[in-house]
Amino acid sequence: MKSYDLIGCGALNLDLIYRLPADSPLWRELPPPGAEQAITPELRAHVDAALADIEPTRSGGGQAANTSFALARLGFSSAMLGRIGADDAGRFLAAELAPCDARYLALDGESGRVYVLLNEAGERRNLVWPAANDDFSTADLPRRLPPARFAYFSSFVGERPLATQLALLERLPADVEIAFDPGEIYARLGVKCFIPFLKRTSYVFATERELETLCGLTADKALSFLLDVGVGLVVCKMGDRGAQIVGRRLDLYVPPHPAEVVDVTGAGDLFAAGFIGGLIESLGLESAGRLAAWAASRGIAGLGRSTYPDAAAWRERVAEERGEI
């Protein structure tokens, strides 16, 4: 059985990316910039009607899917566990994942989608329609899990897929390093739901707001709490202010990498991919942080996954980090 550098597990969505003018009436009905929320059938119908005359950019989406895809683009081996629909969108999502391995995905029903609404500064609001993702169950897990160095978990909306992730966690060998990005949706559930994750997690990737929401504490106290639970390192993503990597004996600041902002969607997922790639390359945490910031800066320069860096760019950047060029 093929071994992977990383297997991802999380929602897979068709991202429908819309850039809306400042005077769009939709802004008055939506959560603040950066927010992510599941939507009701009524709100979906309203949004579909409001956007009917605008042609979106389509892209594969989902936090773990983005990270798995990005790592594969950088030249590493990755695979994805989850559920997509047996529809045109599902076929698009499976093809979009390449070179990440999509063979373990379950196919049934309607594919999940996210309405990514961008303002003129590239800030986004995500409206999530989970569809097939909510049906992800233990029956969708492979009987034999592929060997992997890392497993990367990110959010779903429903209760069943979270229970499936917990079952997957129990089946993973002890030597698999766990990375976890709760996102806003899981953060709102509260930290008690994720204690089994956190006790095994080597790396948590989260924004300041997600840390505060998850733990019900200020960001500084949330960091201490997560480390006390058993998390190895917390990577606090701070957008255009960079990132902070915090451990029991570590507090490392990662400055942002300069970039022209087109779409910030997936920037944190690319940051995680660059960071994990740096670890796989056996570089130190400072180098891994710089590579993460570089990868994120490349991604936000275009819509969706259109400007994710490739293996040639990664090899050149790693050589620079090692002082070889």
Side-chain angles (χ1 to χ4, degrees):
M1 179 176 285
K2 182 177 179 178
S3 178
Y4 297 94
D5 293 308
L6 179 141
I7 54 173
C9 182
L12 296 105
N13 296 301
L14 175 64
D15 280 0
L16 301 174
I17 306 169
Y18 297 85
R19 187 176 295 278
L20 303 182
D23 60 355
S24 171
L26 266 182
W27 294 132
R28 296 191 296 271
E29 307 173 45
L30 299 175
E36 183 173 54
Q37 69 176 46
I39 57 175
T40 63
E42 293 77 17
L43 181 54
R44 178 187 172 182
H46 175 65
V47 171
D48 281 339
L51 300 173
D53 295 329
I54 305 174
E55 186 66 28
T57 298
R58 299 200 313 166
S59 178
Q63 293 159 289
N66 286 339
T67 297
S68 301
F69 169 80
L71 266 173
R73 279 273 297 171
L74 296 177
F76 300 100
S77 59
S78 66
M80 198 54 205
L81 304 179
R83 178 176 274 258
I84 55 178
D87 53 13
D88 287 342
R91 288 184 283 275
F92 174 84
L93 290 174
E96 266 264 296
L97 269 179
C100 173
D101 197 335
R103 77 177 73 180
Y104 300 104
L105 296 179
L107 287 81
D108 194 29
E110 176 194 8
S111 294
R113 63 172 57 187
V114 174
Y115 299 86
V116 181
L117 307 181
L118 301 177
N119 63 20
E120 293 171 344
E123 296 173 318
R124 52 88 181 170
R125 293 162 172 87
N126 287 352
L127 304 179
V128 182
W129 179 254
N133 289 298
D134 272 357
D135 294 324
F136 181 54
S137 70
T138 53
D140 296 328
L141 297 176
R143 293 182 180 179
R144 291 181 59 205
L145 292 178
R149 175 172 172 179
F150 288 90
Y152 192 94
F153 290 89
S154 65
S155 65
F156 287 92
V157 172
E159 295 180 3
R160 180 187 296 178
L162 172 55
T164 303
Q165 287 182 313
L166 290 169
L168 172 61
L169 182 73
E170 292 178 357
R171 289 179 56 189
L172 289 172
D175 61 349
V176 176
E177 293 191 76
I178 307 299
F180 177 47
D181 187 334
E184 192 169 333
I185 289 176
Y186 269 4
R188 285 198 292 266
L189 297 179
V191 74
K192 289 183 180 179
C193 296
F194 303 102
I195 294 300
F197 268 117
L198 299 172
K199 286 182 176 180
R200 268 208 64 181
T201 294
S202 299
Y203 308 97
V204 165
F205 295 88
T207 66
E208 292 169 291
R209 183 167 69 183
E210 289 163 358
L211 290 172
E212 292 172 348
T213 302
L214 177 68
C215 299
L217 301 166
T218 63
D220 286 347
K221 290 182 178 179
L223 290 169
S224 297
F225 175 85
L226 293 175
L227 295 174
D228 288 342
V229 169
V231 173
L233 291 175
V234 181
V235 181
C236 180
K237 301 174 290 185
M238 302 183 297
D240 60 6
R241 294 183 290 118
Q244 204 80 18
I245 303 172
V246 181
R248 288 190 174 277
R249 296 177 179 84
L250 175 75
D251 191 344
L252 175 65
Y253 172 66
V254 179
H257 197 280
E260 179 181 351
V261 178
V262 174
D263 174 13
V264 300
T265 306
D269 309 327
L270 260 173
F271 188 98
F275 187 84
I276 292 170
L279 298 178
I280 296 172
E281 298 278 3
S282 299
L283 296 167
L285 291 175
E286 288 192 34
S287 290
R290 286 192 291 267
L291 289 166
W294 167 82
S297 73
R298 295 289 298 270
I300 63 177
L303 290 176
R305 297 171 176 168
S306 63
T307 56
Y308 280 27
D310 61 14
W314 173 259
R315 298 303 338 152
E316 181 178 352
R317 184 64 189 84
V318 168
E320 290 176 3
E321 198 62 43
R322 288 183 168 140
E324 297 172 354
I325 57 174

